[in-house]
Amino acid sequence: MNKGRIKMGMLGGGQGAFIGIAHRIASYMGERYDLVGGAFDVDYENGLAFAKALELDADRVYPDVDALIKKENALPAEERIEVVSIVTPNSLHYEMAKRLLEGGFHVICEKPMTMTSAEAEILKKLVSETGKQFCLTHTYTGYPMVRQMKAMISTGKIGNIQRIDVQYYQGWINPFIHDSEKRKSVWRLDPKMSGISCCIGDIGLHAFNLAEYTTGLQVDHLLSDLNYLYEDNTLDVDGTVLIRLGGAKGVIRASQIATGEENNLTIQVYGKEGSLKWRQENPTELTWLNEGKPIQVLKPGNSYNAEITMESTKMAPGHPEGIFDAMGNIYKGMAKAIRKQPLSDGEFPTVTDGVRGMHFIEKVVQSNRDGNVWVSL
């Protein structure tokens, strides 16, 4: 059994792919992984050139996932890739993950996990059957103060939850959506590449995941109102979803046409005794409100934080941590799982989160299609 650094492969993430950079930086943190190869580009020669720039062995660069599985499994166990990160467009996630699990590899996958809930259920079954670890990179769950929020809610610091409000506003699609030719060039607006939803499937899914992650509650009913802007545009670019989580109620607001917004993800959880607020664009601050008391702002690196928060903090107090650090914490949790080390609750999103997410997307689209009606999740 391997005891040293985890040998990692990557599918996609080649030259110019920001998400590939993010995953590689995250894997380097904590010195738990070594990237040794992969299939980095649909063009094999481009993949080879990219691997050369990273000073990787050309023999470990493959034209596709099937070649990777076959050739890596022919190597001695102590030499072969153990886990593969999938950082490709949505439409490729399911087949790649399925083949990797069947081939004996652990999997780290970008979200959404699949294109349909049926595919997600198949992957969940495969994870159970193979005993392999599966990590879904809902990156925002890796932020120390999001983990602090989860810990405080779970220990009753704000009392019974009464309302949840999650907002995720971006404006990046605005320059494309109003031009019929330009929007044809955006893969997220192509159902064959993106699935049945653009905005909700991309960023609304993060908001949904954060709502369930921080509160420990599950959405059981929802009602959605989606915005497509133009009749010939088949995927949503904006939407509002009312949610019910047992006795609590809330709203998820997501938009990719919020002009001027960059990455405005905010979650606010209101309890009977107090409230917690967190903003992704100012991620080192968690605002704690108590009835009749001064507002408190909690920051990472301080001893008043929970154990998982402290373990997720890499810098001394006052030094900002960001998106790479958050993803690094998820990679750290996955590494501990692969090496069968003790885990705290919520160290990385699993295949179960992927299944929940796909059901959420489908139900949101269904609610809107059926006339903005309540549906069960």
Side-chain angles (χ1 to χ4, degrees):
M1 178 179 176
N2 289 320
K3 296 292 185 181
R5 290 192 186 186
I6 297 167
K7 293 178 175 60
M8 186 180 90
M10 184 169 283
L11 300 178
Q15 186 64 42
F18 164 76
I19 199 63
I21 295 171
H23 279 259
R24 286 190 294 276
I25 291 175
S27 71
Y28 299 151
M29 291 181 177
E31 300 179 335
R32 293 169 182 258
Y33 297 85
D34 278 329
L35 177 65
V36 298
F40 302 105
D41 199 293
V42 291
D43 184 310
Y44 179 55
E45 294 302 321
N46 286 345
L48 277 173
F50 176 74
K52 183 178 180 181
L54 294 183
E55 299 183 347
L56 299 179
D57 184 350
D59 290 338
R60 307 292 284 274
V61 181
Y62 304 103
D64 52 46
V65 62
D66 292 326
L68 182 151
I69 292 169
K70 181 179 179 180
K71 294 188 177 181
E72 286 295 324
N73 277 331
L75 295 173
E78 65 275 9
E79 295 179 19
R80 70 178 64 133
I81 287 173
E82 300 171 70
V83 62
V84 179
S85 288
I86 302 172
V87 293
T88 64
N90 302 357
S91 59
L92 301 176
H93 293 178
Y94 168 68
E95 283 296 337
M96 287 179 168
K98 182 174 181 290
R99 292 178 190 180
L100 288 167
L101 290 168
E102 291 172 338
F105 298 84
H106 303 290
V107 175
I108 298 170
C109 185
E110 262 299 317
K111 42 61 59 186
M113 186 168 73
T114 58
M115 295 280 273
T116 69
S117 62
E119 291 175 344
E121 295 285 1
I122 291 171
L123 289 189
K124 183 177 180 180
K125 186 171 183 288
L126 262 178
V127 169
S128 177
E129 291 173 348
T130 61
K132 293 299 175 181
Q133 296 292 334
F134 191 103
C135 172
L136 187 66
T137 51
H138 274 295
T139 308
Y140 305 112
T141 65
Y143 275 107
M145 300 320 287
V146 168
R147 296 181 168 194
Q148 178 66 17
M149 190 178 197
K150 176 182 178 68
M152 291 177 69
I153 291 172
S154 70
T155 54
K157 295 293 186 183
I158 63 171
N160 292 333
I161 295 170
Q162 301 178 154
R163 179 177 174 82
I164 301 160
D165 192 322
V166 196
Q167 165 191 296
Y168 201 156
Y169 286 172
Q170 297 175 339
W172 73 271
I173 216 166
N174 220 35
F176 304 96
I177 192 64
H178 303 293
D179 186 304
S180 60
E181 289 303 314
K182 284 184 179 179
R183 63 176 175 260
K184 291 177 183 177
S185 67
V186 180
W187 73 262
R188 288 199 179 277
L189 291 173
D190 182 353
K192 294 179 180 178
M193 298 281 282
S194 195
I196 64 172
S197 172
C198 176
C199 179
I200 296 300
D202 182 19
I203 60 175
L205 184 58
H206 278 303
F208 163 76
N209 176 260
L210 265 191
E212 294 200 333
Y213 177 82
T214 56
T215 65
L217 303 176
Q218 288 194 329
V219 175
D220 50 47
H221 291 83
L222 62 83
L223 183 153
S224 67
D225 185 19
L226 304 181
N227 190 352
Y228 297 78
L229 281 187
Y230 299 102
E231 289 186 1
D232 65 335
N233 176 50
T234 60
L235 298 185
D236 56 284
V237 291
D238 176 87
T240 301
V241 186
L242 300 179
I243 56 175
R244 294 175 179 169
L245 310 88
K249 295 185 178 183
V251 61
I252 290 172
R253 296 169 288 141
S255 181
Q256 292 167 324
I257 53 168
T259 307
E261 292 283 9
E262 295 176 343
N263 209 54
N264 187 358
L265 171 60
T266 304
I267 180 167
Q268 303 172 116
V269 180
Y270 298 92
K272 183 180 179 181
E273 311 296 335
S275 307
L276 292 166
K277 298 182 180 183
W278 179 83
R279 293 183 62 241
Q280 198 275 154
E281 292 183 343
N282 190 17
T284 59
E285 294 187 357
L286 176 63
T287 304
W288 185 11
L289 297 84
N290 282 284
E291 193 73 35
K293 296 181 180 179
I295 294 173
Q296 298 181 63
V297 178
L298 311 182
K299 294 187 176 183
N302 292 290
S303 59
Y304 52 68
N305 288 310
E307 182 179 351
I308 189 173
T309 311
M310 298 300 290
E311 289 182 355
S312 303
T313 305
K314 301 169 188 66
M315 305 296 291
H319 296 269
E321 297 193 30
I323 193 75
F324 293 140
D325 304 271
M327 187 175 283
N329 284 331
I330 290 174
Y331 266 80
K332 176 184 175 182
M334 180 61 163
K336 290 164 71 174
I338 291 172
R339 289 292 184 253
K340 301 186 185 305
Q341 297 169 353
L343 284 167
S344 298
D345 179 42
E347 286 209 49
F348 68 95
T350 69
V351 69
T352 301
D353 296 286
V355 172
R356 290 284 301 165
M358 291 314 304
H359 282 292
F360 170 73
I361 294 170
E362 291 178 353
K363 291 296 185 178
V364 167
V365 172
Q366 176 189 333
S367 170
N368 183 78
R369 182 192 62 221
D370 292 350
N372 314 114
V373 298
W374 285 99
V375 297
S376 61
L377 176 58

